[in-house]
Amino acid sequence: MAQIRLDGVDKVYSGGVKAVDSLDLEIRDGEFMVLVGPSGCGKSTALRMIAGLEDISAGTITIGDRVVNDLAPKDRDIAMVFQNYALYPHMTVAQNLAFGLKLRGMPKEERNKRVHEAAKMLGLEQFLERKPAALSGGQRQRVAMGRAIVREPQAFLMDEPLSNLDAKLRVSMRASLNQLHERLGVTTVYVTHDQIEAMTLGNRVCVLREGRLQQVDTPQRLFDHP
Ligand code: ADP
Ligand code: ADP
């Protein structure tokens, strides 16, 4: 687990668009921070810079006690969850969960232990031998989260992970995410354009407008007294 800090972070894309503008943000150790705002306000860009998937144009990003500006994504000890699941169709759920650990050379015994723990936490135990095509959307999203959990990273970065699910599943997945966060206490940065998700998931919420930080506060204070 770790604190994440952005100090004076800018992103200017090659076309000249300033997607993120002088962003200062401190995400506390163990905090669930939601980045919210209208489409195009720079949420994904901010998250992708924390992940190392996008170069930063100015400023500093710190994870734990390390400045990560020049670190490759795989060296940042974070795990990212995407909205499109990105599961391997030819692998079973268990293989999907274990794949990242295998790449890192983790011994099979430890891999199995982590796969089973994550599957139990996510209610996926009875699906371990299935392929993604034989799962519901909600189950697939749980596998995508499981792949992040088994890594036991310092932080989770999530980009609209529920946006492909129907309304009913979103409600139950919000509850699962809350439980997971209570249980694991891993620092989480969660991007959404959905105010209900921001309100129900965030310890704090950061509102972005046109690349700038507009407000950062608890959901109660933001949405009760806007
Ligand atoms: P959000 O996640 O809030 O919808 P984004 O971070 O995706 O916003 O985009 C912020 C701004 O940067 C938008 O104006 C978008 O068009 C622009 N942008 C995003 N990705 C790129 C890119 N790869 N190249 C150029 N401009 C981009
Ligand atoms: P390999 O022999 O290439 O490791 P396996 O299909 O035996 O391929 O397993 C791949 C990974 O999936 C394993 O490392 C293991 O962690 C996980 N795995 C496979 N089957 C199960 C299972 N039934 N329960 C839990 N984890 C499993």
Side-chain angles (χ1 to χ4, degrees), residues 11-20 36-48 54 159-160 191-193 208 211:
K11 176 67 185 184
V12 184
Y13 281 110
S14 46
V17 178
K18 195 158 200 181
V20 171
V36 73
S39 175
C41 72
K43 307 181 292 292
S44 290
T45 300
L47 194 76
R48 291 168 59 79
E54 204 71 73
D159 194 353
E160 306 249 8
V191 162
T192 184
H193 62 273
L208 294 176

Side-chain angles (χ1 to χ4, degrees), residues 6-7 24 29 34 51-53 55 62 96 115 142 152-153 170 185 196 204 211 217-218:
L6 287 75
D7 291 295
D24 294 317
D29 190 3
V34 178
L53 299 172
D55 288 337
T62 312
N96 265 285
V115 165
R142 281 170 208 274
E152 299 182 1
R170 281 206 296 272
I196 297 180
R204 285 192 302 156
D217 213 332
T218 61

Side-chain angles (χ1 to χ4, degrees), residues 92 94-96 98 102 108 111-112 115-116 128-129:
T92 64
Q95 288 166 339
N96 265 285
K102 204 166 166 176
K108 185 155 190 161
R111 282 199 318 254
N112 279 328
V115 165
H116 276 283
L128 280 170
E129 297 310 319

Side-chain angles (χ1 to χ4, degrees), residues 47-101:
L47 194 76
R48 291 168 59 79
M49 288 192 289
I50 298 170
L53 299 172
E54 204 71 73
D55 288 337
I56 69 178
S57 307
T60 309
I61 298 181
T62 312
I63 301 178
D65 50 14
R66 288 192 304 176
V67 172
V68 298
N69 287 20
D70 298 321
L71 279 187
K74 66 174 174 48
D75 297 324
R76 295 187 180 203
D77 197 14
I78 45 96
M80 184 117 175
V81 181
F82 299 95
Q83 66 175 265
N84 57 5
Y85 320 132
L87 303 180
Y88 301 108
H90 58 290
M91 293 185 194
T92 64
V93 168
Q95 288 166 339
N96 265 285
L97 290 174
F99 186 69
L101 304 180

Side-chain angles (χ1 to χ4, degrees), residues 70-220:
D70 298 321
L71 279 187
K74 66 174 174 48
D75 297 324
R76 295 187 180 203
D77 197 14
I78 45 96
M80 184 117 175
V81 181
F82 299 95
Q83 66 175 265
N84 57 5
Y85 320 132
L87 303 180
Y88 301 108
H90 58 290
M91 293 185 194
T92 64
V93 168
Q95 288 166 339
N96 265 285
L97 290 174
F99 186 69
L101 304 180
K102 204 166 166 176
L103 276 188
R104 286 172 175 74
M106 183 178 288
K108 185 155 190 161
E109 203 174 314
E110 174 67 14
R111 282 199 318 254
N112 279 328
K113 184 170 145 273
R114 290 199 189 184
V115 165
H116 276 283
E117 280 170 3
K120 194 168 167 201
M121 227 179 278
L122 293 162
L124 287 170
E125 288 163 299
Q126 65 271 46
F127 305 115
L128 280 170
E129 297 310 319
R130 284 205 201 168
K131 300 255 173 81
L135 299 175
S136 70
Q139 289 160 350
R140 279 179 216 162
Q141 191 58 65
R142 281 170 208 274
V143 179
M145 282 172 189
R147 284 211 308 210
I149 290 170
V150 294
R151 300 249 318 270
E152 299 182 1
Q154 292 198 77
F156 293 135
L157 306 181
M158 303 191 184
D159 194 353
E160 306 249 8
L162 308 189
S163 62
N164 284 339
L165 304 178
D166 64 37
K168 208 173 141 199
L169 263 173
R170 281 206 296 272
V171 173
S172 69
M173 287 300 293
R174 286 204 301 266
S176 304
L177 276 168
N178 273 330
Q179 277 171 13
L180 274 177
H181 185 251
E182 262 176 37
R183 181 132 171 219
L184 300 174
V186 176
T187 310
T188 304
V189 190
Y190 185 103
V191 162
T192 184
H193 62 273
D194 182 331
Q195 284 215 358
I196 297 180
E197 283 182 23
M199 213 156 55
T200 51
L201 290 170
N203 296 134
R204 285 192 302 156
V205 176
C206 166
V207 183
L208 294 176
R209 276 288 131 85
E210 295 175 0
R212 293 205 196 87
L213 191 151
Q214 202 170 51
Q215 273 180 296
V216 53
D217 213 332
T218 61
Q220 290 74 16

